[in-house]
Amino acid sequence: MVVLKMEKVKKIIITSILLIIVLLIFLNTDINVVNNSRQEAQLVIFGDNIKTDYKPFVENTGIYISKDIIEKYLDEYIYYDKIATKVIITTKTDVYKLKIDESKMSKNFEETSIDNPAKIVNGQAYVDINLFKDVYGIKVGYNEKTSTISIDNLTTSDVPVKYNMVKVFEDITTKSNILSTIGQKNTVSVYTESLKHNRWYKVKTDEGIVGYISKNNIEMNISDNTKVDEKIENTNNTEKITMFWQYGSNLNTLGNKIDGVDVVSPTWYELKNSYGEITSEYSKKYYDKAKENGYQIWPIVTNGIDSVNYLPADTSAMLNSEQNRENFIKNLLNLAKQHNLDGINIDFESMKEEDRLVYTQFIRELAPVFRSEGIKVSVDMYFVSYIDRKGIGAASDYVILMGYDQRGNWSSESGSISEIPWVEGNIESLINSSNIPPEKIILGVPFYTRLWTEKSGSSKPTTKVYDMNDCQDLLKSRKLIAKYDEKSGQNYVEYSKGSMTYKLWLEDETSMKNRINIINKYNLAGISGWQKGLETQNIWSVIKDNMK
């Protein structure tokens, strides 16, 4: 009996082992089938053969292109967040996010299922380019025979070949290599850059071969869609904007309707913590009064810089987390819709220099979802190392150059807080170096200046903020006569008292006209004053009468 039982046990063990082996073989075969379904391919983009270490491939129904190639040829702003393992693609009105190996994609926070998830291959992120054909305005093809992926503009036409035995040459000469021979059963894609040439078209054959054929072999109907070098500029920002920032929501400071003012920007929202929560100081009374005055409302959104507890680390933690960035954007969008805002004004300051590019990415992820709701996005900037001016300019509707604080209480010498040539130089840099269109630039101007006190024997002056009314009061009380200072483009006074010398570069009608001259000269989008309540009453008519 014992022997029989042992025999049964052995049979069970052997049978189990055989089943496990069969199962492992089956699983291994399945894995190999999946891996073998990935077929590397050649790549042709806009008629050019692309050589890359990050090989494109076809898998299942997906045509996979690396983030590196997409960035180089299709979308310089595609972004891969390594921490979140997400590919992020932004357009004017949409933000797409694809998490690696997940069969879903979000568009402006709304998720949909996809057949071919984003992947990591050899350390590089890949996406199925078919998902973004409409986004990039391209058509994508795959020739299985030649294992070639082709990407072309939608305006590239498929044209029938007129004759048989048409040779496709490697270069624009019959002495070059013959790459293929095509006939009347074939069509070719014709690349618009070759339309200027007298004798040759650059084409792509049905098999994905790119070369040149004589023009008499096909007949091109050149439509409006194939005009060479045609560029369409965004000219949405056509009306000059006059706006002011206001600290807080005081109704007396807001006042009644000012003729010529379009936009008000009160300090309402700020980053509360690194998780993207927001503190709101929204005022319904202020909102109603501003709307009664006929103003648009673009509240200031800060990163908490006015708080005594502000730390750049909090801003950094929010910016460097994709989830926290999304939390902040969602929270701000909810507030903007709840409060029926016309726009927002992002004013993040005192950030870490190493967060420069991720701050740009933050604006790229924020602006489209606000734009899709009809809410304008403006971003304030100084000339500081933590601001990527070119990137911010491309991502936002407006940039507002805070054209002041050239000097401050940190300065070792007295001087203007905003010399006119200094401001103009910054504007020229935004246009010429940062490639920001003038119609997107609003010039921020000061309604304040600084009185400097130089003490005999002291190496550093002390300074105190003077608003525009303070300047006029000083002139009257001291019976001073201002003189025009060519270097600063402002009126200037100084006087002495004992061992003290006092110096003041005035903000007044003269300096304001000179600032507006810059706006008119470069045809900028408009002007914004910091801050409401510091100006003299006549300054609004100066702005209105001189803006062109």
Side-chain angles (χ1 to χ4, degrees):
M1 289 295 290
V2 173
V3 173
L4 288 173
K5 286 183 178 180
M6 288 298 293
E7 288 297 321
K8 283 185 177 181
V9 170
K10 285 182 179 179
K11 286 182 179 180
I12 291 170
I13 291 172
I14 291 169
T15 302
S16 299
I17 291 171
L18 288 172
L19 285 170
I20 290 170
I21 291 170
V22 170
L23 182 62
L24 287 172
I25 291 171
F26 174 77
L27 288 172
N28 189 54
T29 301
D30 189 53
I31 289 169
N32 286 333
V33 168
V34 172
N35 285 338
N36 289 337
S37 71
R38 181 178 296 170
Q39 177 68 46
E40 286 191 356
Q42 303 300 314
L43 181 62
V44 176
I45 299 180
F46 307 143
D48 293 326
N49 292 298
I50 307 301
K51 305 297 182 184
T52 173
D53 293 333
Y54 303 112
K55 297 292 185 183
F57 60 89
V58 176
E59 184 172 304
N60 301 323
T61 58
I63 296 178
Y64 281 88
I65 308 294
S66 71
K67 179 257 182 188
D68 179 77
I69 289 296
I70 294 172
E71 182 176 17
K72 188 172 182 180
Y73 294 98
L74 300 175
D75 179 6
E76 63 178 309
Y77 300 125
I78 188 173
Y79 185 80
Y80 179 61
D81 193 301
K82 292 182 180 179
I83 298 173
T85 64
K86 288 185 180 181
V87 177
I88 303 173
I89 292 174
T90 55
T91 71
K92 186 174 181 179
T93 57
D94 297 309
V95 178
Y96 300 88
K97 295 184 179 182
L98 301 91
K99 187 165 178 65
I100 298 299
D101 294 329
E102 287 192 2
S103 297
K104 58 186 179 182
M105 174 177 72
S106 72
K107 175 183 175 182
N108 294 357
F109 314 129
E110 297 290 330
E111 288 189 345
T112 56
S113 296
I114 57 175
D115 294 328
N116 301 299
K119 298 177 181 291
I120 293 290
V121 179
N122 297 326
Q124 179 73 198
Y126 281 75
V127 298
D128 177 9
I129 197 65
N130 285 317
L131 293 169
F132 299 101
K133 290 188 293 186
D134 292 339
V135 170
Y136 294 136
I138 57 175
K139 56 184 177 182
V140 180
Y142 175 63
N143 186 293
E144 191 171 358
K145 183 179 177 182
T146 60
S147 189
T148 301
I149 296 167
S150 60
I151 296 175
D152 295 306
N153 286 315
L154 287 176
T155 54
T156 303
S157 301
D158 287 326
V159 181
V161 179
K162 291 165 62 176
Y163 309 112
N164 287 319
M165 301 301 293
V166 173
K167 294 180 174 59
V168 180
F169 292 96
E170 187 176 22
D171 206 345
I172 52 173
T173 171
T174 55
K175 294 180 180 180
S176 64
N177 294 329
I178 297 172
L179 302 178
S180 180
T181 301
I182 55 179
Q184 291 175 321
K185 293 181 180 180
N186 300 112
T187 63
V188 292
S189 294
V190 181
Y191 295 103
T192 55
E193 66 266 26
S194 70
L195 299 182
K196 293 179 181 179
H197 201 280
N198 292 329
R199 290 186 53 208
W200 298 90
Y201 283 135
K202 184 178 183 180
V203 300
K204 176 171 65 64
T205 70
D206 296 333
E207 295 182 337
I209 296 171
V210 176
Y212 295 86
I213 64 174
S214 176
K215 278 192 172 183
N216 63 357
N217 290 310
I218 60 174
E219 188 170 338
M220 281 289 296
N221 294 316
I222 302 176
S223 66
D224 289 340
N225 289 331
T226 55
K227 288 180 181 177
V228 179
D229 296 334
E230 184 175 42
K231 293 183 179 180
I232 301 173
E233 298 293 339
N234 181 0
T235 56
N236 290 338
N237 304 335
T238 55
E239 297 295 324
K240 286 281 194 291
I241 294 170
T242 297
M243 62 182 284
F244 60 75
W245 290 291
Q246 181 175 335
Y247 197 86
S249 302
N250 185 283
L251 295 182
N252 290 329
T253 303
L254 173 63
N256 295 323
K257 166 69 177 173
I258 300 171
D259 194 21
V261 171
D262 310 294
V263 178
V264 295
S265 186
T267 52
W268 277 358
Y269 310 115
E270 71 175 22
L271 175 66
K272 183 179 181 180
N273 53 41
S274 60
Y275 302 107
E277 294 180 330
I278 295 173
T279 301
S280 172
E281 297 292 337
Y282 168 79
S283 167
K284 181 67 164 60
K285 290 183 178 179
Y286 186 100
Y287 182 95
D288 289 343
K289 178 66 175 175
K291 284 300 178 182
E292 182 185 309
N293 288 346
Y295 299 149
Q296 291 188 41
I297 303 174
W298 302 1
I300 297 174
V301 184
T302 78
N303 53 334
I305 51 173
D306 293 324
S307 170
V308 294
N309 299 317
Y310 172 73
L311 293 171
D314 290 334
T315 304
S316 182
M318 187 276 285
L319 292 175
N320 282 284
S321 164
E322 181 272 334
Q323 184 60 63
N324 292 347
R325 291 197 305 271
E326 184 171 299
N327 289 345
F328 182 92
I329 293 167
K330 282 181 176 178
N331 290 335
L332 186 60
L333 184 62
N334 287 338
L335 287 169
K337 292 164 73 173
Q338 177 186 336
H339 297 153
N340 198 27
L341 302 180
D342 304 291
I344 56 170
N345 177 231
I346 304 294
D347 183 23
F348 276 30
E349 300 180 32
S350 300
M351 294 183 287
K352 293 182 177 180
E353 187 174 347
E354 57 263 35
D355 292 334
R356 181 174 184 266
L357 295 182
V358 76
Y359 177 59
T360 302
Q361 181 61 24
F362 165 68
I363 298 298
R364 284 199 193 109
E365 293 171 18
L366 179 149
V369 293
F370 278 79
R371 206 175 281 127
S372 69
E373 298 288 343
I375 301 170
K376 294 287 187 182
V377 176
S378 60
V379 182
D380 299 339
M381 61 173 61
Y382 287 113
F383 269 63
V384 287
S385 59
Y386 56 77
I387 296 287
D388 166 24
R389 293 180 291 277
K390 182 177 181 179
I392 297 296
S396 59
D397 295 312
Y398 296 98
V399 299
I400 306 183
L401 174 66
M402 296 184 285
Y404 38 82
D405 289 344
Q406 180 183 0
R407 296 180 181 86
N409 55 13
W410 59 86
S411 300
S412 59
E413 62 179 10
S414 304
S416 167
I417 67 161
S418 180
E419 294 175 358
I420 302 302
W422 174 79
V423 173
E424 184 168 8
N426 285 343
I427 291 295
E428 287 183 343
S429 178
L430 290 181
I431 296 170
N432 299 324
S433 298
S434 300
N435 298 323
I436 303 176
E439 63 269 20
K440 293 180 75 169
I441 302 171
I442 296 172
L443 177 59
V445 300
F447 290 161
Y448 72 96
T449 183
R450 285 181 173 273
L451 177 68
W452 300 85
T453 303
E454 297 177 354
K455 184 178 181 181
S456 179
S458 177
S459 60
K460 182 180 178 181
T462 59
T463 183
K464 178 181 178 182
V465 171
Y466 261 42
D467 66 29
M468 297 178 101
N469 286 296
D470 293 331
C471 293
Q472 297 306 313
D473 290 344
L474 180 67
L475 294 180
K476 291 175 183 176
S477 65
R478 291 278 173 183
K479 298 181 179 179
L480 300 171
I481 298 175
K483 294 183 179 180
Y484 187 70
D485 175 39
E486 293 284 350
K487 180 176 180 290
S488 65
Q490 296 169 262
N491 288 320
Y492 169 78
V493 294
E494 72 171 72
Y495 65 96
S496 298
K497 185 178 179 183
S499 62
M500 305 292 190
T501 299
Y502 299 89
K503 297 181 177 181
L504 183 69
W505 283 261
L506 280 76
E507 288 301 332
D508 56 11
E509 181 177 338
T510 298
S511 63
M512 188 58 66
K513 284 181 178 179
N514 285 338
R515 299 185 194 288
I516 294 171
N517 286 341
I518 295 173
I519 295 170
N520 294 335
K521 177 179 178 180
Y522 295 93
N523 198 24
L524 304 185
I527 189 170
S528 185
W530 177 265
Q531 58 169 302
K532 183 67 167 67
L534 302 185
E535 77 280 10
T536 49
Q537 202 56 42
N538 72 318
I539 213 66
W540 296 113
S541 60
V542 172
I543 293 172
K544 182 177 182 295
D545 292 344
N546 288 277
M547 288 275 281
K548 297 177 183 178

